[in-house]
Amino acid sequence: QVTLKESGPGMLQPSKTLSLTCSFSGFSLSTSGMVVSWIRQPSGKSLEWLAAIDWDGDKYYNPSLKSRLTVSKNTSNTQVFLKITSVDIADTATYYCARRPGGPRKGYFDYWGQGVMVTVSS
Amino acid sequence: DIVMTQSPTSMSISVGDRVTMNCKASQNVGSNVDWYQQKTGQSPKLLIYKASNRYTGVPDRFTGSGSGTDFTFTISNMQAEDLAVYYCMQSNSYPWTFGGGTKLELK
């Protein structure tokens, strides 16, 4: 059974660094073609793809945020992390992680986490 | 970035209706478009991948078509449980981008 679950601080102040964790089970990120991605959604708005990391450790970022994003994974390939530096109110959103088997080009997001809500406020 | 423009932004529908929505890409994305359903308070759920392939377990009343820049998503016999926001997404080139969504509401 494939599951993903995001965790994060809930609330943080502007200019701080947001650290998110995606913990998953039922699959391994070491499997060829596997990708885990981060996507966010401000309340009432559409989805925005942020970053991805694949089975080979290759990383992909949304250029609009690239300078602020760092995606990584643990050595046992059961968690993926996302750091966003210098957050501001516009980073307030629900953050999802999602699995994408089949590789970045051929795959699709077949399993999503429940999402974690992050509020940036002073 | 490739802009995915969905239309209409919302639709008032009745159970049993045939529902058609569109997604237009600002550049050729081949068949690299997926469709997701998001119900209130839930995560998105994959319905259609690569423009026209129904994902495992998805009812056959959901269909997708198109290639290049123009894509269509259809619900042939609307059910109450299909009330949701539907998003298209392109993965032909980075950054992957989503449309603004089409919200289905009861008439």
Side-chain angles (χ1 to χ4, degrees):
Chain A
Q1 181 189 0
V2 173
T3 63
L4 302 97
K5 186 172 184 179
E6 307 86 348
S7 57
M11 181 177 288
L12 75 166
Q13 295 178 327
S15 80
K16 302 296 187 183
T17 295
L18 171 61
S19 294
L20 298 169
T21 298
C22 173
S23 301
F24 49 87
S25 62
F27 70 98
S28 175
L29 189 45
S30 63
T31 300
S32 180
M34 193 62 68
V35 179
V36 172
S37 198
W38 287 96
I39 297 147
R40 71 180 179 182
Q41 184 175 39
S43 180
K45 298 189 177 181
S46 184
L47 300 149
E48 179 181 30
W49 174 75
L50 300 176
I53 187 166
D54 71 15
W55 75 101
D56 217 17
D58 289 332
K59 303 171 185 180
Y60 309 85
Y61 295 103
N62 189 322
S64 67
L65 291 148
K66 184 176 182 178
S67 64
R68 299 172 51 215
L69 299 179
T70 303
V71 65
S72 60
K73 62 187 176 87
N74 67 349
T75 53
S76 57
N77 288 294
T78 58
Q79 290 182 313
V80 169
F81 311 101
L82 181 69
K83 289 189 187 299
I84 306 178
T85 60
S86 304
V87 297
D88 69 9
I89 293 173
D91 295 310
T92 295
T94 296
Y95 287 77
Y96 297 100
C97 61
R99 181 184 93 148
R100 188 178 181 89
R105 291 296 293 275
K106 295 182 180 179
Y108 38 80
F109 294 123
D110 62 348
Y111 285 90
W112 296 61
Q114 64 190 24
V116 60
M117 192 174 300
V118 174
T119 301
V120 179
S121 174
S122 55
Chain B
D1 296 6
I2 295 175
V3 176
M4 303 296 282
T5 302
Q6 287 188 245
S7 62
T9 54
S10 66
M11 300 178 72
S12 294
I13 47 81
S14 300
V15 172
D17 282 354
R18 179 181 180 86
V19 176
T20 298
M21 62 188 73
N22 300 295
C23 181
K24 188 172 186 67
S26 61
Q27 302 173 32
N28 187 340
V29 295
S31 296
N32 295 303
V33 168
D34 307 321
W35 290 90
Y36 296 89
Q37 175 194 66
Q38 188 178 34
K39 297 181 180 180
T40 302
Q42 297 185 16
S43 308
K45 175 184 169 184
L46 175 68
L47 297 182
I48 302 289
Y49 64 95
K50 302 309 173 196
S52 60
N53 298 278
R54 202 174 295 115
Y55 183 60
T56 305
V58 173
D60 60 8
R61 64 179 181 272
F62 296 101
T63 58
S65 64
S67 66
T69 60
D70 293 289
F71 299 85
T72 300
F73 177 81
T74 300
I75 307 174
S76 61
N77 177 15
M78 180 75 186
Q79 302 297 301
E81 63 260 32
D82 301 335
L83 292 174
V85 180
Y86 292 82
Y87 295 98
C88 60
M89 188 204 110
Q90 69 82 21
S91 57
N92 190 67
S93 61
Y94 295 106
W96 298 334
T97 48
F98 291 85
T102 294
K103 185 175 184 179
L104 300 186
E105 300 170 305
L106 275 179
K107 198 175 289 183

